[in-house]
Protein backbone atom coordinates (compact mmCIF):
# COMPACT_ATOMS: atom_id res chain seq x y z
CA UNK A 1 0.00 0.00 0.00
CA UNK A 2 2.76 2.37 0.99
CA UNK A 3 4.69 1.37 -2.15
CA UNK A 4 1.68 2.17 -4.30
CA UNK A 5 1.37 5.63 -2.69
CA UNK A 6 5.02 6.39 -3.40
CA UNK A 7 4.67 5.18 -6.99
CA UNK A 8 1.62 7.36 -7.57
CA UNK A 9 3.39 10.36 -6.03
CA UNK A 10 6.39 9.84 -8.36
CA UNK A 11 4.20 9.45 -11.45
CA UNK A 12 2.31 12.61 -10.50
CA UNK A 13 5.60 14.46 -10.05
CA UNK A 14 6.81 13.29 -13.47
CA UNK A 15 3.54 14.43 -15.03
CA UNK A 16 3.72 17.82 -13.30
CA UNK A 17 7.27 18.29 -14.50
CA UNK A 18 6.23 17.62 -18.10
CA UNK A 19 3.15 19.83 -17.84
CA UNK A 20 5.26 22.85 -16.93
CA UNK A 21 5.83 23.25 -20.64
CA UNK A 22 2.25 22.75 -21.68
CA UNK A 23 2.68 23.72 -25.33
CA UNK A 24 5.59 21.35 -25.70
CA UNK A 25 3.60 18.58 -24.00
CA UNK A 26 0.70 18.92 -26.44
CA UNK A 27 3.06 19.25 -29.39
CA UNK A 28 4.88 16.04 -28.49
CA UNK A 29 1.59 14.23 -28.00
CA UNK A 30 0.45 15.24 -31.48
CA UNK A 31 3.84 14.32 -32.95
CA UNK A 32 3.68 10.91 -31.24
CA UNK A 33 0.28 10.25 -32.74
CA UNK A 34 0.98 11.51 -36.25
CA UNK A 35 4.35 9.75 -36.37
CA UNK A 36 2.79 6.39 -35.52
CA UNK A 37 0.04 6.80 -38.09
CA UNK A 38 2.34 7.79 -40.96
CA UNK A 39 3.25 4.16 -41.59
CA UNK A 40 -0.40 3.27 -41.85
CA UNK A 41 -0.96 6.20 -44.21
CA UNK A 42 1.54 4.57 -46.60
CA UNK A 43 -0.31 1.24 -46.51
CA UNK A 44 -3.64 2.99 -46.91
CA UNK A 45 -2.49 4.92 -50.01
CA UNK A 46 -0.97 1.73 -51.41
CA UNK A 47 -4.13 -0.30 -50.91
CA UNK A 48 -6.33 2.43 -52.37
CA UNK A 49 -4.82 1.35 -55.69
CA UNK A 50 -3.91 -2.31 -55.10
CA UNK A 51 -6.39 -4.64 -53.43
CA UNK A 52 -4.32 -6.72 -51.07
CA UNK A 53 -0.89 -7.38 -49.55
CA UNK A 54 -0.19 -11.09 -49.30
CA UNK A 55 -3.93 -11.85 -49.31
CA UNK A 56 -4.70 -9.31 -46.55
CA UNK A 57 -7.22 -6.55 -47.38
CA UNK A 58 -6.93 -2.93 -46.23
CA UNK A 59 -9.40 -3.56 -43.38
CA UNK A 60 -7.43 -6.57 -42.18
CA UNK A 61 -4.13 -4.66 -42.42
CA UNK A 62 -5.72 -1.81 -40.44
CA UNK A 63 -6.68 -4.27 -37.70
CA UNK A 64 -3.17 -5.74 -37.63
CA UNK A 65 -1.63 -2.26 -37.56
CA UNK A 66 -4.02 -1.05 -34.85
CA UNK A 67 -3.35 -4.11 -32.69
CA UNK A 68 0.41 -3.68 -32.89
CA UNK A 69 0.17 0.10 -32.38
CA UNK A 70 -1.92 -0.43 -29.23
CA UNK A 71 0.57 -2.93 -27.80
CA UNK A 72 3.44 -0.60 -28.73
CA UNK A 73 1.68 2.42 -27.18
CA UNK A 74 1.15 0.54 -23.91
CA UNK A 75 4.83 -0.39 -24.02
CA UNK A 76 5.97 3.24 -24.28
CA UNK A 77 3.44 4.39 -21.64
CA UNK A 78 4.43 1.71 -19.11
CA UNK A 79 8.07 1.01 -20.02
CA UNK A 80 9.08 4.34 -21.63
CA UNK A 81 11.32 5.17 -18.66
CA UNK A 82 13.63 2.26 -19.52
CA UNK A 83 15.22 4.19 -22.36
CA UNK A 84 16.68 6.67 -19.85
CA UNK A 85 18.59 3.94 -18.06
CA UNK A 86 21.59 3.87 -20.37
CA UNK A 87 22.14 7.62 -20.00
CA UNK A 88 21.64 7.67 -16.21
CA UNK A 89 24.11 4.77 -15.89
CA UNK A 90 26.61 6.47 -18.16
CA UNK A 91 26.40 9.72 -16.18
CA UNK A 92 26.45 8.03 -12.78
CA UNK A 93 22.98 9.44 -12.00
CA UNK A 94 21.69 5.94 -11.32
CA UNK A 95 23.09 6.39 -7.79
CA UNK A 96 19.96 8.28 -6.87
CA UNK A 97 17.72 5.32 -7.72
CA UNK A 98 19.72 3.11 -5.36
CA UNK A 99 19.23 5.16 -2.20
CA UNK A 100 15.44 5.42 -2.44
CA UNK A 101 12.96 3.21 -0.59
CA UNK A 102 11.70 1.52 -3.78
CA UNK A 103 13.07 -1.05 -6.21
CA UNK A 104 15.24 0.82 -8.79
CA UNK A 105 13.21 -0.70 -11.64
CA UNK A 106 9.98 0.77 -10.25
CA UNK A 107 11.55 4.21 -9.93
CA UNK A 108 12.78 4.03 -13.53
CA UNK A 109 9.26 3.20 -14.71
CA UNK A 110 7.63 6.18 -12.97
CA UNK A 111 9.16 8.57 -15.53
CA UNK A 112 7.05 8.96 -18.60
CA UNK A 113 7.21 10.54 -22.01
CA UNK A 114 4.48 12.92 -23.19
CA UNK A 115 4.64 11.59 -26.76
CA UNK A 116 3.57 8.17 -25.46
CA UNK A 117 0.06 9.54 -24.82
CA UNK A 118 -0.13 10.47 -28.50
CA UNK A 119 0.89 6.93 -29.43
CA UNK A 120 -1.88 5.64 -27.20
CA UNK A 121 -4.56 7.91 -28.71
CA UNK A 122 -3.48 6.92 -32.23
CA UNK A 123 -3.48 3.23 -31.29
CA UNK A 124 -6.93 3.35 -29.72
CA UNK A 125 -8.43 5.28 -32.65
CA UNK A 126 -7.05 2.99 -35.36
CA UNK A 127 -7.82 -0.19 -33.43
CA UNK A 128 -11.42 0.88 -32.68
CA UNK A 129 -12.07 1.86 -36.31
CA UNK A 130 -10.49 -1.30 -37.74
CA UNK A 131 -12.41 -3.57 -35.35
CA UNK A 132 -15.65 -2.28 -36.89
CA UNK A 133 -14.48 -2.63 -40.48
CA UNK A 134 -12.53 -5.90 -40.49
CA UNK A 135 -14.21 -9.31 -40.35
CA UNK A 136 -13.01 -9.98 -36.80
CA UNK A 137 -14.20 -13.01 -34.85
CA UNK A 138 -16.27 -11.40 -32.06
CA UNK A 139 -16.99 -14.41 -29.87
CA UNK A 140 -16.30 -13.88 -26.14
CA UNK A 141 -13.33 -16.25 -26.40
CA UNK A 142 -11.79 -14.20 -29.22
CA UNK A 143 -12.29 -10.93 -27.33
CA UNK A 144 -10.54 -12.29 -24.23
CA UNK A 145 -7.79 -13.70 -26.48
CA UNK A 146 -7.19 -10.32 -28.16
CA UNK A 147 -7.20 -8.45 -24.83
CA UNK A 148 -4.59 -10.88 -23.49
CA UNK A 149 -2.64 -10.63 -26.74
CA UNK A 150 -2.41 -6.83 -26.40
CA UNK A 151 -0.97 -7.26 -22.90
CA UNK A 152 1.30 -10.03 -24.19
CA UNK A 153 2.53 -7.74 -26.99
CA UNK A 154 3.26 -5.02 -24.44
CA UNK A 155 5.33 -7.46 -22.39
CA UNK A 156 7.27 -8.70 -25.45
CA UNK A 157 8.30 -5.19 -26.52
CA UNK A 158 8.70 -4.12 -22.88
CA UNK A 159 10.83 -7.19 -22.22
CA UNK A 160 13.22 -6.25 -25.02
CA UNK A 161 13.47 -2.71 -23.64
CA UNK A 162 14.28 -4.20 -20.24
CA UNK A 163 17.03 -6.35 -21.76
CA UNK A 164 18.76 -3.33 -23.30
CA UNK A 165 18.35 -1.32 -20.09
CA UNK A 166 19.87 -4.21 -18.09
CA UNK A 167 22.80 -4.50 -20.51
CA UNK A 168 23.60 -0.82 -19.89
CA UNK A 169 25.12 -1.80 -16.51
CA UNK A 170 27.72 -3.76 -18.42
CA UNK A 171 27.98 -1.89 -21.76
CA UNK A 172 27.09 1.69 -20.67
CA UNK A 173 25.56 2.85 -23.97
CA UNK A 174 22.86 0.59 -25.38
CA UNK A 175 20.40 3.07 -26.91
CA UNK A 176 21.61 2.40 -30.44
CA UNK A 177 20.86 -1.31 -29.93
CA UNK A 178 17.47 -0.46 -28.47
CA UNK A 179 16.74 1.81 -31.43
CA UNK A 180 17.67 -1.01 -33.82
CA UNK A 181 15.40 -3.57 -32.09
CA UNK A 182 12.60 -1.02 -31.87
CA UNK A 183 13.01 -0.36 -35.59
CA UNK A 184 12.62 -4.07 -36.36
CA UNK A 185 9.45 -4.28 -34.26
CA UNK A 186 8.02 -1.10 -35.85
CA UNK A 187 8.91 -1.93 -39.43
CA UNK A 188 8.04 -5.61 -39.55
CA UNK A 189 5.47 -5.92 -36.75
CA UNK A 190 2.63 -4.25 -38.68
CA UNK A 191 2.86 -6.38 -41.81
CA UNK A 192 1.58 -9.86 -42.63
CA UNK A 193 4.94 -11.56 -42.16
CA UNK A 194 4.21 -14.28 -44.69
CA UNK A 195 5.11 -11.83 -47.47
CA UNK A 196 8.76 -12.08 -46.34
CA UNK A 197 8.81 -15.81 -46.98
CA UNK A 198 10.41 -18.74 -45.15
CA UNK A 199 13.66 -17.75 -43.44
CA UNK A 200 12.74 -14.20 -42.41
CA UNK A 201 9.32 -15.27 -41.15
CA UNK A 202 10.89 -18.03 -39.03
CA UNK A 203 13.51 -15.56 -37.75
CA UNK A 204 10.82 -13.04 -36.77
CA UNK A 205 8.78 -15.75 -35.06
CA UNK A 206 11.31 -17.82 -33.14
CA UNK A 207 14.43 -15.65 -32.78
CA UNK A 208 13.00 -12.16 -32.41
CA UNK A 209 9.36 -12.84 -31.49
CA UNK A 210 7.94 -9.93 -33.53
CA UNK A 211 5.22 -12.19 -34.93
CA UNK A 212 3.74 -12.81 -31.49
CA UNK A 213 3.07 -9.11 -30.82
CA UNK A 214 0.31 -8.69 -33.41
CA UNK A 215 0.67 -10.82 -36.55
CA UNK A 216 -0.14 -14.18 -34.94
CA UNK A 217 -3.02 -12.91 -32.74
CA UNK A 218 -4.50 -10.94 -35.68
CA UNK A 219 -4.23 -14.00 -37.95
CA UNK A 220 -6.12 -16.09 -35.38
CA UNK A 221 -9.13 -13.75 -35.10
CA UNK A 222 -9.19 -12.87 -38.81
CA UNK A 223 -9.22 -16.49 -39.99
CA UNK A 224 -5.68 -16.39 -41.44
CA UNK A 225 -4.29 -18.85 -38.88
CA UNK A 226 -3.67 -21.61 -41.42
CA UNK A 227 -1.03 -19.41 -43.16
CA UNK A 228 1.12 -19.11 -40.05
CA UNK A 229 4.54 -20.60 -39.36
CA UNK A 230 3.11 -21.79 -36.02
CA UNK A 231 -0.14 -23.71 -36.26
CA UNK A 232 -3.27 -23.03 -34.15
CA UNK A 233 -2.62 -24.85 -30.87
CA UNK A 234 0.63 -22.88 -30.46
CA UNK A 235 -0.81 -19.70 -32.01
CA UNK A 236 -3.51 -19.67 -29.30
CA UNK A 237 -0.76 -19.44 -26.71
CA UNK A 238 0.69 -16.23 -28.23
CA UNK A 239 -0.21 -14.07 -25.19
CA UNK A 240 1.99 -16.29 -23.00
CA UNK A 241 5.11 -15.43 -24.99
CA UNK A 242 5.03 -11.95 -23.47
CA UNK A 243 5.20 -13.41 -19.98
CA UNK A 244 8.14 -15.62 -20.93
CA UNK A 245 10.12 -12.85 -22.60
CA UNK A 246 9.49 -10.39 -19.79
CA UNK A 247 10.27 -12.96 -17.09
CA UNK A 248 13.61 -13.75 -18.73
CA UNK A 249 14.37 -10.04 -19.13
CA UNK A 250 13.61 -9.41 -15.46
CA UNK A 251 15.98 -12.18 -14.38
CA UNK A 252 18.67 -10.60 -16.56
CA UNK A 253 18.01 -7.18 -14.98
CA UNK A 254 18.42 -8.65 -11.50
CA UNK A 255 21.60 -10.38 -12.59
CA UNK A 256 23.13 -7.26 -14.19
CA UNK A 257 22.11 -4.62 -11.63
CA UNK A 258 24.97 -5.44 -9.20
CA UNK A 259 27.44 -4.69 -12.01
CA UNK A 260 26.56 -0.99 -11.83
CA UNK A 261 29.60 1.19 -11.31
CA UNK A 262 28.99 4.79 -10.37
CA UNK A 263 31.04 6.45 -13.09
CA UNK A 264 32.49 9.91 -12.97
CA UNK A 265 32.46 10.41 -9.20
CA UNK B 1 35.04 38.82 -52.48
CA UNK B 2 38.63 37.64 -52.42
CA UNK B 3 37.86 35.94 -49.11
CA UNK B 4 34.61 34.38 -50.26
CA UNK B 5 35.80 31.37 -52.25
CA UNK B 6 38.54 30.19 -49.83
CA UNK B 7 36.18 30.59 -46.85
CA UNK B 8 33.46 28.59 -48.58
CA UNK B 9 35.93 25.87 -49.58
CA UNK B 10 37.28 25.69 -46.06
CA UNK B 11 33.83 25.26 -44.50
CA UNK B 12 32.86 22.69 -47.12
CA UNK B 13 36.02 20.71 -46.46
CA UNK B 14 35.38 20.81 -42.71
CA UNK B 15 31.93 19.25 -43.06
CA UNK B 16 33.09 16.74 -45.65
CA UNK B 17 35.76 15.61 -43.19
CA UNK B 18 33.20 15.26 -40.42
CA UNK B 19 31.22 12.80 -42.56
CA UNK B 20 34.32 10.84 -43.51
CA UNK B 21 35.47 10.69 -39.88
CA UNK B 22 32.20 9.35 -38.50
CA UNK B 23 31.95 6.49 -40.98
CA UNK B 24 30.21 4.25 -38.44
CA UNK B 25 27.42 6.79 -38.25
CA UNK B 26 27.19 6.70 -42.05
CA UNK B 27 27.09 2.89 -41.90
CA UNK B 28 24.13 2.99 -39.51
CA UNK B 29 22.26 5.40 -41.80
CA UNK B 30 23.05 3.13 -44.73
CA UNK B 31 21.66 0.11 -42.84
CA UNK B 32 18.46 2.07 -42.14
CA UNK B 33 18.08 2.93 -45.82
CA UNK B 34 18.84 -0.64 -46.93
CA UNK B 35 16.20 -1.91 -44.52
CA UNK B 36 13.65 0.51 -45.95
CA UNK B 37 14.54 -0.46 -49.53
CA UNK B 38 14.21 -4.15 -48.62
CA UNK B 39 10.83 -3.59 -46.93
CA UNK B 40 9.51 -1.64 -49.90
CA UNK B 41 10.72 -4.35 -52.28
CA UNK B 42 8.89 -7.08 -50.33
CA UNK B 43 5.66 -5.09 -49.89
CA UNK B 44 5.55 -4.04 -53.53
CA UNK B 45 6.30 -7.57 -54.74
CA UNK B 46 3.37 -8.74 -52.60
CA UNK B 47 0.92 -6.15 -53.98
CA UNK B 48 1.97 -6.87 -57.56
CA UNK B 49 1.01 -10.48 -56.77
CA UNK B 50 2.61 -11.95 -59.89
CA UNK B 51 1.33 -9.36 -62.40
CA UNK B 52 4.07 -8.51 -64.94
CA UNK B 53 3.00 -4.86 -65.26
CA UNK B 54 0.63 -2.41 -63.63
CA UNK B 55 -0.20 0.74 -65.64
CA UNK B 56 2.77 -0.01 -67.88
CA UNK B 57 5.21 -0.17 -64.96
CA UNK B 58 6.99 -3.50 -64.55
CA UNK B 59 7.92 -4.71 -61.07
CA UNK B 60 11.63 -4.60 -62.01
CA UNK B 61 11.39 -0.93 -63.07
CA UNK B 62 9.43 -0.10 -59.94
CA UNK B 63 12.02 -1.65 -57.62
CA UNK B 64 14.86 0.13 -59.43
CA UNK B 65 12.83 3.36 -59.09
CA UNK B 66 12.25 2.85 -55.35
CA UNK B 67 15.91 1.97 -54.74
CA UNK B 68 17.14 5.15 -56.44
CA UNK B 69 14.39 7.28 -54.85
CA UNK B 70 15.43 6.18 -51.36
CA UNK B 71 19.11 6.85 -52.09
CA UNK B 72 18.30 10.21 -53.62
CA UNK B 73 16.10 11.56 -50.81
CA UNK B 74 18.90 10.57 -48.49
CA UNK B 75 22.01 12.00 -50.11
CA UNK B 76 20.44 15.30 -51.15
CA UNK B 77 18.97 15.81 -47.66
CA UNK B 78 20.66 18.89 -46.13
CA UNK B 79 21.91 17.28 -42.94
CA UNK B 80 24.29 20.15 -42.21
CA UNK B 81 21.26 22.38 -41.81
CA UNK B 82 19.69 19.79 -39.54
CA UNK B 83 22.21 20.38 -36.75
CA UNK B 84 21.84 24.16 -36.91
CA UNK B 85 19.04 24.40 -34.26
CA UNK B 86 21.47 22.83 -31.76
CA UNK B 87 23.84 25.74 -32.35
CA UNK B 88 21.02 28.21 -31.66
CA UNK B 89 20.03 26.34 -28.50
CA UNK B 90 23.58 26.22 -27.15
CA UNK B 91 24.43 29.77 -28.20
CA UNK B 92 27.21 28.56 -30.51
CA UNK B 93 25.43 30.41 -33.32
CA UNK B 94 27.16 33.56 -31.99
CA UNK B 95 30.40 32.24 -33.51
CA UNK B 96 28.70 31.71 -36.86
CA UNK B 97 27.33 35.24 -36.85
CA UNK B 98 30.63 37.01 -36.19
CA UNK B 99 32.35 35.27 -39.11
CA UNK B 100 33.03 37.55 -42.07
CA UNK B 101 30.95 35.23 -44.24
CA UNK B 102 27.12 35.53 -44.12
CA UNK B 103 25.19 32.76 -42.38
CA UNK B 104 23.41 31.59 -45.55
CA UNK B 105 26.67 31.13 -47.53
CA UNK B 106 28.07 29.26 -44.51
CA UNK B 107 25.12 26.87 -44.45
CA UNK B 108 25.34 26.38 -48.21
CA UNK B 109 29.08 25.65 -48.06
CA UNK B 110 28.65 23.18 -45.21
CA UNK B 111 25.83 21.38 -47.00
CA UNK B 112 27.79 21.12 -50.22
CA UNK B 113 30.77 19.69 -48.34
CA UNK B 114 28.66 17.15 -46.55
CA UNK B 115 26.77 16.14 -49.68
CA UNK B 116 30.05 15.69 -51.52
CA UNK B 117 31.31 13.26 -48.87
CA UNK B 118 27.99 11.41 -48.54
CA UNK B 119 27.81 11.03 -52.33
CA UNK B 120 31.29 9.47 -52.33
CA UNK B 121 30.30 6.99 -49.61
CA UNK B 122 26.94 6.21 -51.25
CA UNK B 123 28.81 5.61 -54.52
CA UNK B 124 31.15 3.17 -52.75
CA UNK B 125 28.22 1.25 -51.27
CA UNK B 126 26.29 0.90 -54.56
CA UNK B 127 27.16 -2.83 -54.92
CA UNK B 128 25.40 -3.62 -51.60
CA UNK B 129 22.50 -1.36 -52.55
CA UNK B 130 22.12 -3.21 -55.85
CA UNK B 131 22.07 -6.50 -53.98
CA UNK B 132 19.29 -5.43 -51.59
CA UNK B 133 17.21 -3.44 -54.09
CA UNK B 134 18.05 -3.17 -57.75
CA UNK B 135 19.85 -0.64 -59.95
CA UNK B 136 19.45 0.17 -63.58
CA UNK B 137 21.16 2.66 -65.95
CA UNK B 138 19.20 5.68 -67.26
CA UNK B 139 16.92 5.14 -70.27
CA UNK B 140 19.21 7.12 -72.60
CA UNK B 141 22.03 9.70 -72.64
CA UNK B 142 19.40 12.42 -72.90
CA UNK B 143 17.51 10.97 -69.91
CA UNK B 144 20.75 10.96 -67.92
CA UNK B 145 21.38 14.65 -68.72
CA UNK B 146 17.83 15.70 -67.83
CA UNK B 147 18.07 13.70 -64.60
CA UNK B 148 21.31 15.41 -63.59
CA UNK B 149 19.89 18.91 -64.16
CA UNK B 150 16.70 18.02 -62.26
CA UNK B 151 18.66 16.55 -59.35
CA UNK B 152 20.88 19.63 -59.00
CA UNK B 153 17.72 21.77 -58.88
CA UNK B 154 16.19 19.31 -56.40
CA UNK B 155 19.23 19.76 -54.19
CA UNK B 156 18.81 23.53 -54.26
CA UNK B 157 15.14 23.15 -53.38
CA UNK B 158 15.71 20.86 -50.41
CA UNK B 159 18.49 23.17 -49.20
CA UNK B 160 16.14 26.19 -49.29
CA UNK B 161 13.44 24.27 -47.37
CA UNK B 162 16.03 22.97 -44.90
CA UNK B 163 17.38 26.48 -44.28
CA UNK B 164 13.86 27.79 -43.62
CA UNK B 165 13.19 24.96 -41.17
CA UNK B 166 16.51 25.57 -39.45
CA UNK B 167 15.82 29.29 -39.14
CA UNK B 168 12.55 28.62 -37.30
CA UNK B 169 14.82 27.79 -34.35
CA UNK B 170 15.24 31.55 -33.91
CA UNK B 171 11.52 31.66 -33.02
CA UNK B 172 11.08 28.36 -31.20
CA UNK B 173 13.83 26.25 -29.67
CA UNK B 174 11.90 23.01 -29.98
CA UNK B 175 12.23 21.91 -33.61
CA UNK B 176 13.15 18.22 -33.44
CA UNK B 177 9.54 16.99 -33.62
CA UNK B 178 8.78 19.08 -36.68
CA UNK B 179 11.92 17.69 -38.28
CA UNK B 180 10.70 14.11 -37.83
CA UNK B 181 7.37 14.91 -39.46
CA UNK B 182 9.08 16.80 -42.26
CA UNK B 183 11.15 13.72 -43.08
CA UNK B 184 8.03 11.63 -43.56
CA UNK B 185 6.06 14.25 -45.51
CA UNK B 186 9.08 14.85 -47.73
CA UNK B 187 9.60 11.13 -48.40
CA UNK B 188 5.97 10.39 -49.00
CA UNK B 189 5.18 13.29 -51.34
CA UNK B 190 8.56 12.91 -53.08
CA UNK B 191 7.22 9.54 -54.21
CA UNK B 192 9.98 7.60 -52.44
CA UNK B 193 7.49 5.08 -50.99
CA UNK B 194 4.83 5.09 -53.71
CA UNK B 195 5.54 6.68 -57.10
CA UNK B 196 2.97 9.37 -57.92
CA UNK B 197 1.67 7.18 -60.80
CA UNK B 198 -0.01 5.00 -58.18
CA UNK B 199 -1.37 7.74 -55.91
CA UNK B 200 -5.17 7.96 -55.66
CA UNK B 201 -6.33 10.85 -57.92
CA UNK B 202 -7.03 13.45 -55.22
CA UNK B 203 -3.76 12.68 -53.44
CA UNK B 204 -1.87 13.02 -56.70
CA UNK B 205 -3.42 16.48 -57.18
CA UNK B 206 -2.19 17.43 -53.71
CA UNK B 207 1.27 16.01 -54.44
CA UNK B 208 1.53 17.99 -57.68
CA UNK B 209 0.81 21.24 -55.84
CA UNK B 210 3.60 20.60 -53.33
CA UNK B 211 7.35 21.09 -53.91
CA UNK B 212 8.28 17.60 -52.67
CA UNK B 213 7.72 15.81 -56.01
CA UNK B 214 10.83 17.62 -57.24
CA UNK B 215 12.93 15.53 -54.79
CA UNK B 216 12.58 12.09 -56.33
CA UNK B 217 9.54 11.60 -58.54
CA UNK B 218 10.32 14.16 -61.26
CA UNK B 219 14.08 13.48 -61.55
CA UNK B 220 13.50 9.72 -61.65
CA UNK B 221 10.63 9.96 -64.13
CA UNK B 222 13.21 11.65 -66.37
CA UNK B 223 15.84 8.99 -65.54
CA UNK B 224 13.57 6.13 -66.56
CA UNK B 225 12.39 7.95 -69.68
CA UNK B 226 8.79 8.18 -68.51
CA UNK B 227 8.80 11.90 -69.27
CA UNK B 228 10.07 12.96 -72.70
CA UNK B 229 10.01 15.98 -75.03
CA UNK B 230 7.52 18.62 -73.88
CA UNK B 231 6.67 16.70 -70.70
CA UNK B 232 10.33 16.59 -69.74
CA UNK B 233 10.70 20.35 -70.25
CA UNK B 234 7.54 20.90 -68.22
CA UNK B 235 9.04 18.86 -65.36
CA UNK B 236 12.23 20.95 -65.49
CA UNK B 237 10.07 24.10 -65.50
CA UNK B 238 8.37 22.94 -62.31
CA UNK B 239 11.78 22.37 -60.71
CA UNK B 240 13.05 25.83 -61.75
CA UNK B 241 9.85 27.49 -60.48
CA UNK B 242 10.10 25.88 -57.03
CA UNK B 243 13.81 26.61 -56.89
CA UNK B 244 13.16 30.34 -57.46
CA UNK B 245 10.16 30.61 -55.15
CA UNK B 246 11.72 28.75 -52.24
CA UNK B 247 15.02 30.65 -52.39
CA UNK B 248 13.15 33.98 -52.37
CA UNK B 249 11.18 32.70 -49.36
CA UNK B 250 14.33 31.49 -47.61
CA UNK B 251 16.02 34.88 -48.00
CA UNK B 252 12.91 36.69 -46.70
CA UNK B 253 12.78 34.37 -43.68
CA UNK B 254 16.48 34.95 -43.04
CA UNK B 255 16.07 38.78 -43.10
CA UNK B 256 13.35 38.47 -40.46
CA UNK B 257 15.18 35.85 -38.41
CA UNK B 258 18.34 37.92 -38.01
CA UNK B 259 16.35 40.58 -36.18
CA UNK B 260 15.19 38.05 -33.61
CA UNK B 261 18.54 36.60 -32.63
CA UNK B 262 19.02 35.90 -28.95
CA UNK B 263 22.30 34.38 -27.95
CA UNK B 264 21.75 31.83 -25.21
CA UNK B 265 24.14 31.31 -22.33
CA UNK B 266 26.35 34.32 -23.10
Amino acid sequence: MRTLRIVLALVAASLRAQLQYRMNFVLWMVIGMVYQLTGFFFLWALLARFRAVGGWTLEEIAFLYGLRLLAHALTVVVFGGLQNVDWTVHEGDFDRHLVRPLAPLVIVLTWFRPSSLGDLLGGIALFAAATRLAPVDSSPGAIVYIALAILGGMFIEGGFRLVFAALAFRLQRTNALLGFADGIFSNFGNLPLRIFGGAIEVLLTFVLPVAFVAYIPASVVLGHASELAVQPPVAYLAPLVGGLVFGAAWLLWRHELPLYQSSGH
Amino acid sequence: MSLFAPAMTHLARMDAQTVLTYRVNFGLHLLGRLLQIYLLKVVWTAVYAGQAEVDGVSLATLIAYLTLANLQTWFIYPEAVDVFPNRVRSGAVALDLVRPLGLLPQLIARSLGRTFAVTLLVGASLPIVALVGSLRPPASAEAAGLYLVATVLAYGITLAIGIMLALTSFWTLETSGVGVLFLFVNQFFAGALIPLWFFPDWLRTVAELLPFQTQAFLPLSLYFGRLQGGDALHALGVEVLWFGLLWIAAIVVWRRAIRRVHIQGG
Side-chain angles (χ1 to χ4, degrees), chain B residues 245-260:
Chain B
L245 281 177
L246 290 168
W247 270 106
I248 292 170
I251 290 165
V252 170
V253 171
W254 162 240
R255 294 239 163 102
R256 289 178 168 267
I258 189 65
R259 283 190 239 135
R260 295 198 44 109

Side-chain angles (χ1 to χ4, degrees), chain B residues 103-142:
Chain B
L103 186 69
L104 291 193
Q106 285 182 50
L107 288 174
I108 294 170
R110 282 167 175 266
S111 286
L112 286 173
R114 188 164 286 241
T115 304
F116 175 72
V118 169
T119 309
L120 280 185
L121 291 175
V122 167
S125 39
L126 280 182
I128 315 170
V129 174
L131 212 65
V132 174
S134 116
L135 292 175
R136 192 186 274 195
S140 62
E142 188 197 347

Side-chain angles (χ1 to χ4, degrees), chain A residues 68 152-153 155-164 167 176-191 193 196-217 229-230 238 241-242 244-246 249, chain B residues 35 39:
Chain A
R68 141 73 196 150
F155 278 115
I156 293 175
E157 290 200 21
F160 273 90
R161 285 175 180 238
L162 187 55
V163 166
F164 292 117
L167 288 177
L177 287 170
L178 171 67
F180 182 73
D182 202 45
I184 301 279
F185 275 102
S186 299
N187 283 305
F188 291 86
N190 323 311
L191 292 168
L193 293 176
F196 293 96
I200 304 267
E201 189 182 347
V202 168
L203 205 68
L204 293 176
T205 307
F206 299 108
V207 181
L208 199 64
V210 173
F212 288 97
V213 176
Y215 175 53
I216 291 174
V230 287
V241 175
L244 292 176
V245 169
F246 196 81
Chain B
L35 180 67
L39 283 166

Side-chain angles (χ1 to χ4, degrees), chain B residues 49-120:
Chain B
Q51 298 169 82
E53 277 193 4
V54 175
D55 295 355
V57 184
S58 70
L59 184 59
T61 307
L62 183 73
I63 290 172
Y65 166 95
L66 290 168
T67 306
L68 285 173
N70 278 278
L71 284 187
Q72 169 135 350
T73 49
W74 175 29
F75 77 76
I76 71 173
Y77 182 74
E79 226 192 331
V81 181
D82 234 23
V83 297
F84 181 72
N86 292 338
R87 299 183 69 80
V88 176
R89 203 172 301 137
S90 69
V93 68
L95 278 176
D96 301 337
L97 291 172
V98 297
R99 290 202 177 108
L101 197 59
L103 186 69
L104 291 193
Q106 285 182 50
L107 288 174
I108 294 170
R110 282 167 175 266
S111 286
L112 286 173
R114 188 164 286 241
T115 304
F116 175 72
V118 169
T119 309
L120 280 185

Side-chain angles (χ1 to χ4, degrees), chain A residues 24 28 31 34-35 38-39 41-50 52-54 187-188 191 195-196 200, chain B residues 35 38-40 42-44 46-48 54-55 174 176-178 180-181 184 188 193-194 198 200 202-203:
Chain A
N24 202 34
W28 270 110
I31 288 166
V34 176
Y35 180 67
T38 48
F41 185 69
F42 159 67
L43 289 168
W44 169 82
L46 185 68
L47 289 171
R49 177 68 180 70
F50 295 84
V53 181
N187 283 305
F188 291 86
L191 292 168
I195 64 175
F196 293 96
I200 304 267
Chain B
L35 180 67
Y38 169 72
L39 283 166
L40 285 168
V42 171
V43 170
W44 276 100
V47 296
Y48 259 62
V54 175
D55 295 355
E174 192 54 56
S176 49
V178 179
V180 170
L181 285 187
F184 177 78
F188 186 84
L193 309 174
I194 304 175
F198 294 137
W202 67 271
L203 202 60

